[in-house]
Amino acid sequence: TTSTLYYPIKLLIKHTPIVETMSEALSSQELKEIENNLVRLAKDEIGPVLKSKSGTQFGQFDDKANQVDLVTVIDKKVESIINKRLTSLYPDFEFIGEETFKPGLTSITNSPTFIVDPIDGTTNFIHGYPYSCVSMGLAVGGEPVVGVVYNPHLNMMFHASKGNGSFFNDELIHVTKRSLTLQQSVIALESGAERSPGSNFDIKMETYKNLLSDKGGYIHGSRSAGSAAMNMCYVANGMLDAYWEGGCWAWDVCAGWCILKESGGIVVGGNKDEWDIPVDRRCYLAVRGGCEKSEQQYFVKSFWSHVA
């Protein structure tokens, strides 16, 4: 018997009937220009702040949901910089950021919407561990169509826009063609901020056991970057085969989703039979490209069979 990994969805897409894909309202050239602007913003303005302040915020952070869900004044400062710059460049677009999100009030509409995490991997950032990044995505009609993820500590820039391919440090991503099977995979798994005994925490731990056990999935191994955006990007360029998560938010995955999709990967739900999910589903399974679609589908079904 399997359980459902459940997280209350407080950030909802307001679905309205649309005849065509809303992203078609923006041409591939326009999306590329937005991508380039986000790359410049990340590299020139946000990166230097993250790099100079990493490891300097001990004793200067606050708890959000609990004592391991953290925020610093730098998170808020960076989001403010991004919001002001993007509002200036695109006054007709909407903006949703992690630090200005208001439960029950903030929603993703069909309008072009920037979905931003100013610092993904805040705990890493506080500890000076070099796996924090800025994650800036654009969704249109609820579909991620532009994504920029920049880790200035390791000089890692991932970026993409719909129809224009995915890039790592300005080199087009080509995932090496190879078979995709659960047993021969390396998968990103995270502990998450919710640690109290109960349904979600227990399901995650039991699922990890199922995947790693020689009586279960017997995968090659698991990795944890401590950043959803970085995990998504590592799947996008083929360094990881998949990433499974429950509990993160649209701003954690929007940018990485676009980058992954443009490199041939897919994003489905973290629970069984969730093939088509909105960007704010909060339970995700990201799977790399470099293989046939039928292999991706078989991998997903195999993975779902081990969700506790």
Side-chain angles (χ1 to χ4, degrees):
T1 302
T2 59
S3 304
T4 298
L5 188 63
Y6 173 72
Y7 285 84
I9 303 175
K10 300 177 182 178
L11 181 59
L12 297 174
I13 293 177
K14 293 181 177 178
H15 295 284
T16 57
I18 50 178
V19 177
E20 60 180 357
T21 303
M22 291 294 294
S23 59
E24 293 177 1
L26 293 170
S27 68
S28 59
Q29 181 178 350
E30 289 172 318
L31 292 174
K32 188 64 180 181
E33 290 173 355
I34 295 170
E35 175 190 341
N36 289 339
N37 282 333
L38 292 181
V39 167
R40 283 191 288 269
L41 175 59
K43 185 173 290 187
D44 297 342
E45 298 189 48
I46 307 306
V49 176
L50 268 60
K51 193 169 184 178
S52 65
K53 296 297 184 180
S54 179
T56 69
Q57 301 300 297
F58 284 105
Q60 301 180 55
F61 57 84
D62 298 316
D63 299 344
K64 290 196 290 186
N66 55 47
Q67 65 183 19
V68 294
D69 186 13
L70 311 175
V71 62
T72 72
V73 67
I74 307 300
D75 292 78
K76 298 174 183 178
K77 175 182 178 180
V78 168
E79 183 167 316
S80 178
I81 293 171
I82 296 171
N83 193 353
K84 288 178 182 177
R85 179 53 58 91
L86 294 183
T87 300
S88 174
L89 289 172
Y90 306 101
D92 296 329
F93 289 16
E94 297 182 15
F95 182 92
I96 293 174
E98 178 179 11
E99 306 313 327
T100 49
F101 164 69
K102 293 181 174 55
L105 297 176
T106 304
S107 63
I108 303 174
T109 70
N110 283 323
S111 300
T113 305
F114 288 110
I115 303 177
V116 171
D117 191 340
I119 305 178
D120 190 50
T122 296
T123 300
N124 291 342
F125 176 77
I126 291 169
H127 286 265
Y129 188 66
Y131 284 89
S132 59
C133 59
V134 58
S135 176
M136 297 183 285
L138 175 69
V140 183
E143 176 190 4
V145 293
V146 178
V148 171
V149 174
Y150 182 45
N151 177 340
H153 320 292
L154 301 178
N155 190 31
M156 304 181 81
M157 173 71 78
F158 295 88
H159 56 99
S161 54
K162 185 178 181 180
N164 293 311
S166 292
F167 296 82
F168 173 47
N169 288 347
D170 297 326
E171 294 289 333
L172 185 66
I173 294 175
H174 289 290
V175 180
T176 302
K177 287 287 184 180
R178 61 192 190 277
S179 63
L180 176 66
T181 62
L182 187 63
Q183 188 172 348
Q184 295 182 349
S185 64
V186 176
I187 300 175
L189 303 171
E190 297 283 350
S191 58
E194 183 185 345
R195 310 284 180 80
S196 58
S199 176
N200 293 328
F201 182 73
D202 291 344
I203 288 172
K204 289 180 78 170
M205 295 302 107
E206 191 63 29
T207 297
Y208 297 170
K209 180 180 177 180
N210 291 345
L211 290 169
L212 292 163
S213 170
D214 62 353
K215 306 300 182 184
Y218 209 13
I219 63 175
H220 275 179
S222 62
R223 302 292 183 266
S224 174
S227 160
M230 294 302 301
N231 285 332
M232 294 282 281
C233 288
Y234 288 163
V235 176
N237 72 356
M239 289 196 297
L240 296 173
D241 296 291
Y243 168 44
W244 183 73
E245 182 62 283
C248 53
W249 296 83
W251 46 78
D252 296 310
V253 301
C254 183
W257 187 319
C258 178
I259 294 165
L260 173 60
K261 188 173 181 180
E262 284 297 307
S263 70
I266 61 171
V267 180
V268 298
N271 293 308
K272 185 178 180 181
D273 295 330
E274 294 183 338
W275 289 103
D276 186 15
I277 60 169
V279 70
D280 61 349
R281 177 63 185 94
R282 302 202 62 204
C283 300
Y284 311 92
L285 173 59
V287 180
R288 68 165 171 83
C291 60
E292 300 297 325
K293 291 294 183 184
S294 59
E295 290 183 87
Q296 292 175 326
Q297 292 169 356
Y298 185 78
F299 179 93
V300 168
K301 291 177 182 179
S302 298
F303 188 101
W304 280 339
S305 72
H306 294 283
V307 175

